[in-house]
Amino acid sequence: MGYNVHREILDEGAVDEMAEKSDSKTSLSERVKKSMRCSGPRAKECLLTSVPVVSWLPRYSLKENALGDLISGLSVGIMQLPQGMAYALLAAVPPVFGLYSSFYPVLIYFIFGTSKHISIGTYAVMSVMIGGVIERLAPDSDFSEWDNLTNETIINITNRDAERVKVAAAVTLLSGIFQILLGLVQFGFVVTYLSEPLVRGYTTGAAIHVIVSQLKYTFGINPKRYSGPCSLIYTVLEVCSLLPKTNIGTLVVSIVAIVGLILAKELNSYLSKKLPIPIPVELLGVVIATVVSWQVDLENKYKVDVVGLIPSGLQPPVLPEVSLFSKVIGDAFALAVVGYGIAISLGRIFALKYGYNVDSNQELIALGLSNSVGGIFQCFAVSCSMSRTMVQESTGGKTQVAGALSAVVILFITLWIGYLFEDLPKAVLAAIIFVNLHGMMKQFMDIPALWKSNKVDMLVWVVTFILTVLLNPDLGLAASIGFSMLTVIFRTQLPKYSLLGQIPDTDIYRPLEDYNQVRPVPGILIFRSSATLYFANAEMYQESLGKKSGIDITKILSAKKKLEAKRKRHEAKIAKKAAKKNAVHMEGEPEMEVQKDIAVIEVDAEPDPSLPRAIVLDLSPVNFLDTVGVKTLRRIRGDYGEIGVEVVLACCQTGVVDNLQSGGFFNDKVTKSCVFSTVHDAVLYCQSSRPEIADKETHF
């Protein structure tokens, strides 16, 4: 279907007049007053937004959701038991604190969270980050004591674990405070700086740290714990040097547990369509390993390290030591960003799948409250687990009630049956961690996929992985975000510059080098950059315009100035001679005009035919202009105007026109008549022999 448009050529001034552009802008004080106003409906909306459970729980449908949430909650709660204990080892705290971390934060998220499907609780990446902080601030060497009975140095495990719990609680509380503050100031968009390649590369690198940290439980050795850059490499070398001291009993338990878990999970996947709920593989593994360890007495006979004392009941609330905050502030902020980034990414996936909205700022507050309250109850920082979330969704979970029920399961285990798992070998918990990391290891397949689709994203993935492995998760995250931002800056500094041509018989313009049927407009050069124009690429914009147009503007202006100076010197010389002759004639002859023999040098009487008549700058990719960008456009228009080439702008967004206005681009001589809504309007204007006529028309 074709169409025909008949209208006048419209510059920006005409468009503003025709569309009646509004100049009214709300001042900052008015916006603040409006945000501070309170009314009944506004207070109700604020309550429902801040405490989402008040909004959805009264409308909860028992008939539609209760059964699915019940099965899902029980399944996830069963998973929380082995994962919580295993990830507590990653965090370098006693296993029972992993159970606490699977209870308090989950209940808080049930009240304040907006995602219906994600499973909040312990997470491997968060745990290994906390473990790094704890090992730095409470290393084993600080709790060494001399044993007079054995005449050797031993570690006071009781004092060490107590101090480590304090550090974990402090960093968790502080990370929660950061998340709450970021949510209150509407900083939910901060996660946009964590691109998907960055997150996947980061979690893969963190998984390597997780694997290395669990090798000591797999081989039954006790390597030194290193901290700082390249600590992973030092740890691997230390583990390799201690391999001859491997505890054979522990190694056998690890191999049997890993093989058994892998086979059981494969069977689970094979029967997934035939079973209403998945087989609780990890729970079965924990129960079997505990029974075997108890019956065989693995701890005493084979020196296999076991979980040990698991106290019944819950811990009373204790405010973490404020003196530790200054030592963990950087780690806490990293935990806050990583935990939120993983949770919101997964939450948005399921929100899109099931057609509901996830409030990014409320999610920050919900996670912040979960960690803050958890820190007071001696938990360590939590986030969202992919494996538990998939189980929660696949077993029929439809609301946050499933998460609350999983917390009830953990409460029951903690109060009454937790002590039954005291004989569980730590090697089995390490095996559970290894097997659960297979999903993260599959992320290495991102590299060939990204190589085919986007090489810059692949570079971000690889560099993030390397930085995370070498610099540890905390510094690695900061360095990775910095590198990711640099790729954006470099891409804006090195955009693609193109000359546009017209598709015949249309008002459509495309790059000449990309299309065979696109034709240049005679006498008019149309120039476009693929990026915005600002201080970092302003000079390159001018240089590229000169290269693409073939106009060495500096050389032409320099030649013109020299010619102008030569003309002025010649005129001054002629005038001086004329003055002398006039003085002589004044003495001898009273009346005599001396006007002949005066030479006049004409400068550019005719425009250079090799130059274009006009240049159209297509600014459609430009979304803002800083002061340097405005000065660049003003300089381009002035310089090319001096050699008889008119420069006009096209496709400016409203904000860009405002930037031009505030930056001093417009004046008495330069008005909005040089800014056009479309490239076609600008071309037709330039083609007109009399641009001052008001009734110019465009046909296309």
Side-chain angles (χ1 to χ4, degrees), residues 2-3 12 70 122 168 272 279 291 333 353 440 458 576 600 636:
Y3 68 92
E12 197 64 33
L70 177 62
T122 55
S272 60
I279 301 172
V291 172
F333 187 79
K353 182 177 180 180
M440 290 187 185
M458 186 214 68
K576 187 175 180 180
V600 177
I636 290 174

Side-chain angles (χ1 to χ4, degrees), residues 133-148:
V133 180
I134 289 175
E135 293 284 356
R136 187 182 76 239
L137 296 180
D140 288 341
S141 57
D142 289 356
F143 303 93
S144 300
E145 296 179 355
W146 181 260
D147 188 352
N148 293 323

Side-chain angles (χ1 to χ4, degrees), residues 125 236 312 514:
V125 174
V236 171
S312 299
D514 295 338

Side-chain angles (χ1 to χ4, degrees), residues 173-227:
L173 175 61
L174 191 56
S175 69
I177 293 173
F178 276 131
Q179 289 173 328
I180 294 172
L181 293 176
L182 290 174
L184 291 176
V185 297
Q186 307 292 299
F187 253 58
F189 69 88
V190 73
V191 75
T192 57
Y193 295 105
L194 302 177
S195 64
E196 184 179 359
L198 187 148
V199 171
R200 293 176 71 86
Y202 177 78
T203 52
T204 307
I208 301 299
H209 281 275
V210 172
I211 292 172
V212 171
S213 68
Q214 295 304 292
L215 291 178
K216 62 180 180 180
Y217 299 114
T218 301
F219 293 100
I221 55 180
N222 189 25
K224 296 178 182 178
R225 184 66 182 260
Y226 296 91
S227 60

